[in-house]
Amino acid sequence: MAFAGIEGGSTHSTIVILDSEGKILAEHEGPSINKWLEGIDVSLARLRKMITECRQKAGLDPDACLASLGLSLSGVEGPASIKEYEEGLADINCNHLYACNDAFGPIATVTDQGGVVVIAGTGSNCYLLNPDSTWVRCGGWSYMLGDEGSAYWITRRALKILVDHDEGMAPIDLDLDVAGNITKTFFKIDSREGLLPYLYTNFDKAFMAKMCIELAKGARDQEDALCKRVFREAGRYLGRHVQAVVRNNKADKCLLTADGGLQIVCVGNVWKSWDLLIEGFKEGIQPIYQEDVTVQEFSLIRLTTSGAIGAACLGAKAAKKIIDINYRDYHEVFYHHKF
């Protein structure tokens, strides 16, 4: 039997085909298939193309039926979105199709017992998946309402501090030269008014997020206090995302008492600056409100492969099939903490 899984983000996507013993028969890369960015018709067309091309790589007969197909896709939210993909891909040769948000694939690549995933790339998002497949979400409301702790948010926060200080809205007792010079160099401007085209007619969230890289260099290489501050604030928000999905006892107790504590899968390039996020994250994950839960221990985990592996496992589970996965082959713990 062949089991396929697809992880689709806002920038690129990956498909894998596994056999029942967990061996990767083929892997293939593709473009964005986020329906909110590309449209549902384009998304479905790209999915079909990826499935066809990966079948060929795996050496499968074009008419061979997949045992299951798991889709872990950015932009899939709620029953209506799931139905779009189930109906839109009804013509592919597959016994069972399962669709879910792109946050679930990474968790299922680490364990079949559930956990938390915090996505911190260009944007941010957080999900908790319980062993019984119930889930809780925090974030994912785009740059208009959310994205706290993301690369875009870090850039925006630094710019906001600079502008508010210059205009007297919120003067700050920090040296602003490093962050100010980073801003001028990155945007190739001489004054703050030069930002206006980037904030209006030429707004590009992904482009603005890239300034986060330069701010991280300012924090590390120049020990700049403002740059350090925005990363600590970002870490606090990311920790708060985790607290938000476990508060009110929404997390199964087994997740909080697992070996190594709460398993938190970290996805996205912002986590490469963990040394700058760490203190803020530990602050943010601790209880503030009465409904908050004490997380006594946690482990931060990074994938060493694509979340498409987990998507395939979720598809197989929905089809009541089992793929023999050695989860330790696909992730590593990069930080562990006990309070």
Side-chain angles (χ1 to χ4, degrees):
M1 290 187 289
F3 304 88
I6 299 178
E7 179 186 46
S10 297
T11 305
H12 70 279
S13 51
T14 304
I15 177 172
V16 296
I17 296 179
L18 311 176
D19 65 15
S20 59
E21 296 179 351
K23 178 183 177 182
I24 298 176
L25 302 179
E27 185 171 2
H28 187 62
E29 300 293 320
S32 166
I33 47 181
N34 183 305
K35 73 167 192 169
W36 299 113
L37 297 175
E38 315 299 338
I40 187 63
D41 291 338
V42 172
S43 178
L44 291 170
R46 289 179 177 178
L47 283 167
R48 288 193 192 93
K49 186 172 186 289
M50 289 177 65
I51 294 166
T52 298
E53 291 173 347
C54 200
R55 280 178 187 268
Q56 293 172 346
K57 275 190 176 183
L60 298 178
D61 188 304
D63 296 323
C65 184
L66 294 171
S68 64
L69 170 63
L71 303 175
S72 179
L73 307 180
S74 172
V76 172
E77 299 288 350
S81 289
I82 291 171
K83 187 176 180 181
E84 278 185 311
Y85 284 98
E86 289 176 344
E87 293 181 350
L89 296 174
D91 57 338
I92 68 168
N93 199 1
C94 173
N95 280 337
H96 195 95
L97 188 148
Y98 173 82
C100 61
N101 185 268
D102 64 331
F104 294 168
I107 297 176
T109 304
V110 172
T111 175
D112 61 354
Q113 297 302 307
V116 171
V117 59
V118 183
I119 299 172
T122 301
S124 65
N125 204 351
C126 178
Y127 275 81
L128 177 142
L129 182 64
N130 281 310
D132 64 359
S133 296
T134 58
W135 54 268
V136 183
R137 178 182 109 179
C138 175
W141 296 104
S142 86
Y143 72 94
M144 294 291 287
L145 295 178
D147 279 347
E148 295 91 346
S150 69
Y152 168 79
W153 183 91
I154 289 169
T155 296
R156 180 191 178 281
R157 179 63 179 140
L159 295 176
K160 180 65 173 167
I161 291 174
L162 291 171
V163 170
D164 281 355
H165 177 84
D166 283 350
E167 295 188 336
M169 176 75 75
I172 185 170
D173 188 22
L174 290 176
D175 187 338
L176 307 182
D177 288 346
V178 172
N181 289 332
I182 287 172
T183 300
K184 290 178 180 179
T185 301
F186 183 82
F187 290 103
K188 299 179 182 178
I189 58 176
D190 296 322
S191 67
R192 65 171 184 252
E193 286 73 23
L195 286 171
L196 292 174
Y198 294 99
L199 303 177
Y200 286 97
T201 52
N202 299 327
F203 176 75
D204 184 335
K205 177 182 170 183
F207 170 74
M208 292 190 68
K210 290 179 181 178
M211 195 177 102
C212 175
I213 299 172
E214 304 308 316
L215 293 169
K217 291 178 182 177
R220 292 194 187 98
D221 301 344
Q222 301 185 58
E223 293 285 331
D224 181 64
L226 191 154
C227 292
K228 287 183 176 180
R229 172 174 167 167
V230 295
F231 274 93
R232 184 167 185 149
E233 289 180 5
R236 191 177 298 117
Y237 270 115
L238 295 176
R240 189 61 204 170
H241 276 72
V242 177
Q243 178 59 237
V245 297
V246 301
R247 70 194 304 260
N248 281 322
N249 296 309
K250 290 176 285 194
D252 190 297
K253 289 183 180 179
C254 72
L255 298 184
L256 295 169
T257 58
D259 185 25
L262 182 65
Q263 306 293 290
I264 304 171
V265 184
C266 303
V267 178
N269 285 331
V270 169
W271 293 106
K272 293 179 180 179
S273 296
W274 172 241
D275 58 316
L276 304 175
L277 303 168
I278 180 171
E279 295 305 322
F281 185 88
K282 289 191 292 186
E283 292 167 5
I285 200 173
Q286 294 189 61
I288 302 173
Y289 305 107
Q290 183 177 355
E291 297 82 3
D292 288 353
V293 171
T294 298
V295 179
Q296 296 180 333
E297 183 180 5
F298 66 86
S299 294
L300 299 186
I301 298 166
R302 66 168 62 96
L303 299 184
T304 56
T305 188
S306 164
I309 298 286
C313 292
L314 290 170
K317 182 179 180 180
K320 295 182 169 44
K321 303 291 183 182
I322 297 175
I323 304 176
D324 187 13
I325 293 289
N326 185 353
Y327 292 102
R328 285 177 292 183
D329 290 344
Y330 299 124
H331 72 273
E332 60 187 12
V333 175
F334 69 90
Y335 184 78
H336 172 253
H337 185 76
K338 278 186 176 181
F339 287 104

